[in-house]
Amino acid sequence: MTSETLTRHDQHGLYPEPRTVEDFCSNLATVQARIAAACQRVGRDPASVRLLPVSKTKPQASLSLAYAAGCRWLGENKVQEAFGKWESMQDLTDLHWSVIGHLQTNKAKLVARFASEFQALDSLRLAEALDRHLQAQGRSLDVFVQVNTSGEANKYGLNPEVVPAFIRQLSVFSALRVRGLMTLALFSAEAERVRQCFILLRQLRDQLQQCAPVGMELDALSMGMSGDFEIAIEEGATVVRVGQAIFGARALPDSHYWPTRFDPEAPR
Ligand SMILES: *Cc1c(COP(=O)(O)O)cnc(C)c1O
């Protein structure tokens, strides 16, 4: 039955721009209803799925409306943009920031300053830099290891085979709290191929839980976005990262943000 769930990538570009707090409340309610329906299909408790609203590219006015509608976490994929938004909204002390995009080591210091969560950890150099800057500031950070589950050579994230050894090496970084794994599925209308990416991430997590370093829980699975989060939930997602279905379509095409992901021809 669940294998009939389709992707909704065709809706991208159609999500209308929310302009009021009520619009945000209604978009959030729609997404929560989709989450609940997916949970029901596989007998999961909707409370076991955390919705991370993704506000990248949207202006601060839009983020403020989302906050007024109840959002207390926002996901951003570019650190400079995220830092700027954090600076201008710092007075909202209960608003937390999750950086979900690839990070260059030289920007680790910035993330250490304001982020509560980082979902794209994919190198030891980066882990070391984050840990060092966090220690210096007396902060800590929840992290997810990004895994390349689609096998696309041009996509960020570690190959699944190297993840167990990588995770073992993270236990020395005491300012990093390793929560679990994150992935971006294949961007495809072929739901079964998308589903395979999510299954792979769940199986890897299950395998890691057998051999995780003491004190590391590794239960989180961050997978699924506006076009495919129902499938991700059916396969065990505990965090879904949803942008356009909450904040409206992005003005620029996805290839602008993920040149390597959506458009292999784009210059890098
Ligand atoms: C933008 C983004 C999302 C959300 O995508 P939508 O299509 O807007 O839901 C999820 N994960 C990552 C890493 C992103 O950069």
Side-chain angles (χ1 to χ4, degrees):
M1 181 186 76
T2 57
S3 64
E4 288 166 10
T5 307
L6 302 175
T7 61
R8 300 201 186 191
H9 295 308
D10 55 335
Q11 297 206 351
H12 281 203
L14 300 179
Y15 292 111
E17 182 85 20
R19 302 193 179 282
T20 63
V21 177
E22 290 69 33
D23 289 346
F24 270 98
C25 288
S26 140
N27 286 358
L28 288 163
T30 302
V31 170
Q32 292 290 5
R34 285 173 61 186
I35 290 174
C39 283
Q40 195 179 14
R41 286 195 287 276
V42 291
R44 293 186 58 191
D45 177 359
S48 67
V49 180
R50 169 183 154 220
L51 171 60
L52 175 62
V54 175
S55 51
K56 68 183 184 203
T57 80
K58 298 296 174 180
Q60 197 217 303
S62 184
L63 278 62
S64 297
L65 292 176
Y67 178 85
C71 296
R72 292 297 177 268
W73 278 85
L74 293 174
E76 290 279 337
N77 77 331
K78 291 192 172 175
V79 65
Q80 223 86 46
E81 178 182 338
F83 185 74
K85 288 172 174 174
W86 167 75
E87 273 192 314
S88 60
M89 299 176 82
Q90 266 186 82
D91 49 321
L92 304 176
T93 51
D94 60 346
L95 179 58
H96 304 284
W97 300 86
S98 178
V99 174
I100 61 178
H102 178 74
L103 183 67
Q104 289 173 317
T105 306
N106 62 12
K107 305 234 176 83
K109 189 174 185 176
L110 218 47
V111 167
R113 273 192 62 190
F114 76 97
S116 295
E117 182 176 85
F118 174 57
Q119 294 206 359
L121 185 61
D122 61 359
S123 86
L124 280 181
R125 268 187 69 208
L126 181 55
E128 186 278 322
L130 282 168
D131 188 65
R132 180 160 39 87
H133 292 300
L134 287 160
Q135 304 276 3
Q137 308 199 29
R139 297 188 76 234
S140 58
L141 188 68
D142 286 341
V143 298
F144 291 62
V145 174
Q146 185 172 354
V147 182
N148 179 343
T149 53
S150 65
E152 292 163 291
N154 54 12
K155 201 183 272 181
Y156 290 120
L158 295 170
N159 287 330
E161 310 83 67
V162 305
V163 173
F166 180 73
I167 297 250
R168 276 194 293 278
Q169 289 171 285
L170 295 181
S171 47
V172 297
F173 303 119
S174 57
L176 304 182
R177 288 185 303 261
V178 185
R179 295 299 191 200
L181 308 177
M182 180 275 236
T183 201
L184 285 155
L186 192 72
F187 189 78
S188 167
E190 293 176 63
E192 279 317 303
R193 296 182 63 200
V194 171
R195 185 180 296 277
Q196 284 312 313
C197 296
F198 298 141
I199 291 175
L200 181 60
L201 197 72
R202 182 191 65 228
Q203 289 175 339
L204 183 60
R205 191 270 321 262
D206 293 348
Q207 173 198 335
L208 287 166
Q209 281 182 324
Q210 312 292 315
C211 60
V214 180
M216 233 188 242
E217 289 191 15
L218 282 177
D219 38 14
L221 283 178
S222 175
M223 52 190 200
M225 37 200 258
S226 294
D228 58 17
F229 71 77
E230 283 103 333
I231 298 174
I233 288 170
E234 289 170 2
E235 298 305 336
T238 67
V239 182
V240 292
R241 309 175 306 267
V242 179
Q244 300 183 80
I246 296 171
F247 282 87
R250 284 183 287 275
L252 291 160
D254 280 327
S255 59
H256 178 78
Y257 306 103
W258 288 306
T260 57
R261 180 166 145 75
F262 291 98
D263 181 5
E265 306 302 318
R268 276 183 243 166

